[in-house]
Amino acid sequence: MGIDAGFDMVPRLSKGVVDTQNWKSFIKIIKERYQTDDQVEIKPNYIVFKSGEHPLLPFEGHKFLRFSSKISGSCAKGVEDYINTVTRIAEVNFGSRVQYWNEAGEKRGFYGWQEVHTSFKSYEQHDAPEISISIAQYVLGFDPASELNLKLFDIQSVPDKGKGLVARFNIAKGKRILHEKPLFTTANLSPISVMESNVLTKLKALSKAEKRQFLSLHNNFRGRYPFSGIVKTNALPCGPGSVIGGVYPTICLINHSCLPNAHNSWNSGTQCETIHAIRDIKSGEEITISYDKGGPSGPRRTYLQGAFGFDCSCGICSLPPTDLEISDARRLRIQLLDNAIGDSHRLMSKPDDCLADCRCLLQVLEEEYNGGAGALLARLYYDAFQISISHSDQARAIESIAHT
């Protein structure tokens, strides 16, 4: 079996600038120390010591948990010297965070081997740079907004839109911005007089504060039925295709964009609407979601005018004519590919063609949404999973579901 020895970094290093710079200094010392040693090889993402079990030091310190090897047995020649020297250098740079252990002294590492091996695998792929929420996160490596439960947005007046949500900090892609229960839910009833009566009944059940919140929401359908007008302007469906809509005191202030930076989704378990960032959002940038159902700008804007009562003038709809034509062609292509992929008969008879369409759709989504396709990508990967699993192609199915 052999005896293991090495050191663990406890607690592990953060992505903050202090830990990052300390780790870079440590790696620089290691490189200088072993620059003429043929047993120490510099790989693209880590240093490997070709002795014992070939212990590794990654160039990204936040991934590092353990430097160790078996120090007994025929293959362990020289590795104990590496471990002792690297441990001493690490102690100079990181002090008490370096926890040396040796099974000969019945002392084992802090981390479990499964966690350690997972960290080893992460060395192979260099992490993409992350957007920092604030100077504090940049320096310390943690998100102070989350730690202190700070609100990520302010409600502000937005030119030509009324009120809107504006980011107080940089918000990283994937971050949950807000989750909120509806003031009430209602179906889109006809005629409008019936809906007005239904909404009025629900309003009577609200507290005074909640009534004020509802009445402060914008109404693009002024006339005989003011309460229904507020609902029609603001309600969001409680899930894809749902005929039930929810009205929210804060989420309903999030304005539309055909190229949004956030995505809304209904959580049936918590009965809340949740907003997540689908691209990095800069401090001072308006937070937007999409109200539309896709497609080229003409039908899209017609739908938005009829359903919500406004003429969209977002960054996509305001493009110069030539650029807008290119965008419209991509969005029409997205619709056609999505319809083809969803054809159940074609799915069973021509699965390879359907998967080829999935690959085409992935490319068009990336071109049109510039990394912010969000739920559209999740849906695409799920479609690819369904196609693969329906034909017992487990390998492709697993690859597809891993992306959702």
Side-chain angles (χ1 to χ4, degrees), residues 43-297:
K43 296 285 191 178
N45 295 324
Y46 54 83
I47 301 172
V48 57
F49 293 76
K50 295 185 290 185
S51 180
E53 294 179 299
H54 289 209
L56 309 174
L57 289 174
F59 294 151
E60 295 177 293
H62 65 273
K63 295 180 176 180
F64 176 78
L65 295 180
R66 173 172 298 166
F67 183 80
S68 70
S69 174
K70 292 194 181 299
I71 58 172
S72 63
S74 58
C75 67
K77 183 179 179 180
V79 72
E80 190 169 8
D81 288 338
Y82 286 134
I83 287 174
N84 291 337
T85 301
V86 173
T87 301
R88 287 195 297 271
I89 296 172
E91 287 172 340
V92 171
N93 283 263
F94 302 102
S96 62
R97 293 174 84 162
V98 175
Q99 295 192 9
Y100 177 79
W101 52 273
N102 189 322
E103 290 181 346
E106 298 186 355
K107 188 175 182 181
R108 298 182 182 276
F110 178 84
Y111 301 104
W113 278 110
Q114 183 175 353
E115 187 177 7
V116 170
H117 287 304
T118 300
S119 75
F120 291 163
K121 291 178 182 178
S122 73
Y123 296 177
E124 296 291 345
Q125 187 68 38
H126 192 77
D127 284 355
E130 293 185 357
I131 186 171
S132 294
I133 297 295
S134 67
I135 294 296
Q137 183 183 6
Y138 176 68
V139 174
L140 302 175
F142 66 87
D143 178 357
S146 296
E147 294 285 332
L148 301 175
N149 198 28
L150 298 177
K151 189 169 66 173
L152 297 178
F153 58 86
D154 283 324
I155 297 172
Q156 298 182 11
S157 295
V158 179
D160 302 321
K161 294 184 180 180
K163 294 179 180 178
L165 269 56
V166 176
R168 296 178 63 198
F169 312 98
N170 291 337
I171 301 174
K173 181 178 179 179
K175 177 74 175 177
R176 188 177 74 178
I177 299 171
L178 173 65
H179 66 111
E180 187 174 49
K181 286 188 177 294
L183 293 170
F184 60 83
T185 59
T186 182
N188 188 12
L189 302 173
S190 294
I192 192 69
S193 58
V194 174
M195 184 172 180
E196 185 77 3
S197 176
N198 180 63
V199 173
L200 182 58
T201 299
K202 291 182 178 290
L203 281 176
K204 289 178 180 178
L206 299 181
S207 67
K208 287 184 179 180
E210 290 170 331
K211 288 175 183 174
R212 284 195 293 270
Q213 288 175 323
F214 174 81
L215 294 172
S216 70
L217 295 174
H218 194 67
N219 183 2
N220 286 330
F221 302 93
R222 298 182 182 278
R224 292 180 56 193
Y225 305 104
F227 302 139
S228 298
I230 293 175
V231 170
K232 189 174 180 182
T233 302
N234 294 278
L236 293 172
C238 298
S242 175
V243 296
I244 304 298
V247 180
Y248 307 85
T250 306
I251 289 177
C252 285
L253 300 178
I254 303 177
N255 290 308
H256 164 82
S257 172
C258 297
L259 189 65
N261 53 27
H263 174 71
N264 62 294
S265 59
W266 173 253
N267 187 322
S268 57
T270 62
Q271 296 291 291
C272 286
E273 191 77 7
T274 304
I275 308 295
H276 284 88
I278 56 174
R279 63 176 79 243
D280 291 337
I281 303 173
K282 294 181 179 179
S283 175
E285 184 180 349
E286 185 185 7
I287 297 166
T288 57
I289 58 176
S290 175
Y291 301 175
D292 68 76
K293 296 183 177 181
S297 58

Side-chain angles (χ1 to χ4, degrees), residues 21 28 42 206 223 257 312 394:
Q21 289 302 318
K28 182 180 179 182
I42 309 299
L206 299 181
S257 172
C312 184
Q394 187 175 4

Side-chain angles (χ1 to χ4, degrees), residues 7 25 178:
F7 73 89
S25 297
L178 173 65

